[in-house]
Coordinates of all heavy atoms in Angstrom, one line a residue:
D66 N -11.2 106.0 -20.7 CA -11.8 106.8 -19.6 C -11.0 107.9 -19.1 O -9.7 107.9 -19.4 CB -12.1 105.9 -18.4 CG -13.0 104.7 -18.8 OD1 -13.8 104.9 -19.7 OD2 -12.9 103.6 -18.2
R149 N 33.6 189.9 -19.9 CA 33.8 191.2 -20.4 C 34.8 192.0 -19.5 O 35.6 192.8 -20.0 CB 32.5 192.0 -20.5 CG 31.5 191.3 -21.6 CD 30.2 192.0 -21.6 NE 30.4 193.5 -22.0 CZ 29.4 194.4 -22.0 NH1 28.2 194.0 -21.7 NH2 29.6 195.6 -22.3
D186 N 40.0 187.9 -13.6 CA 40.2 186.6 -14.1 C 39.8 185.6 -13.0 O 39.1 184.6 -13.2 CB 41.6 186.3 -14.5 CG 41.8 185.0 -15.2 OD1 40.8 184.4 -15.7 OD2 42.9 184.5 -15.3
P296 N -8.1 115.5 -32.6 CA -9.5 115.8 -32.1 C -10.0 114.7 -31.3 O -9.8 113.5 -31.5 CB -10.2 116.0 -33.5 CG -9.2 116.3 -34.5 CD -7.9 115.6 -34.0
L329 N 0.6 106.1 -20.2 CA 1.1 107.4 -20.5 C 0.0 108.4 -20.1 O -1.0 108.5 -20.7 CB 1.4 107.6 -21.9 CG 2.0 108.9 -22.4 CD1 3.4 109.2 -21.7 CD2 2.2 109.1 -23.9
E342 N -23.8 119.2 -26.3 CA -24.8 118.7 -27.2 C -25.2 117.3 -26.7 O -24.4 116.5 -26.2 CB -24.4 118.6 -28.6 CG -23.2 117.7 -28.9 CD -22.9 117.7 -30.4 OE1 -23.6 118.3 -31.2 OE2 -21.8 117.0 -30.7
G348 N -24.7 108.0 -31.3 CA -23.8 109.0 -31.4 C -24.3 110.2 -32.3 O -23.5 111.2 -32.5
F367 N -16.5 111.7 -14.3 CA -15.9 110.6 -15.0 C -16.5 110.5 -16.4 O -17.7 110.3 -16.5 CB -16.1 109.3 -14.2 CG -15.3 109.2 -12.9 CD1 -15.8 109.6 -11.7 CD2 -14.0 108.8 -13.0 CE1 -15.1 109.5 -10.5 CE2 -13.2 108.8 -11.8 CZ -13.8 109.1 -10.6
I396 N -10.3 80.6 -39.7 CA -10.6 80.9 -41.1 C -10.6 79.6 -41.9 O -9.8 78.7 -41.7 CB -9.6 81.9 -41.7 CG1 -9.7 83.2 -41.0 CG2 -9.9 82.1 -43.2 CD1 -8.7 84.2 -41.4

Side-chain angles (χ1 to χ4, degrees):
D66 300 331
R149 293 177 60 185
D186 192 18
L329 183 65
E342 60 180 357
F367 288 97
I396 297 177

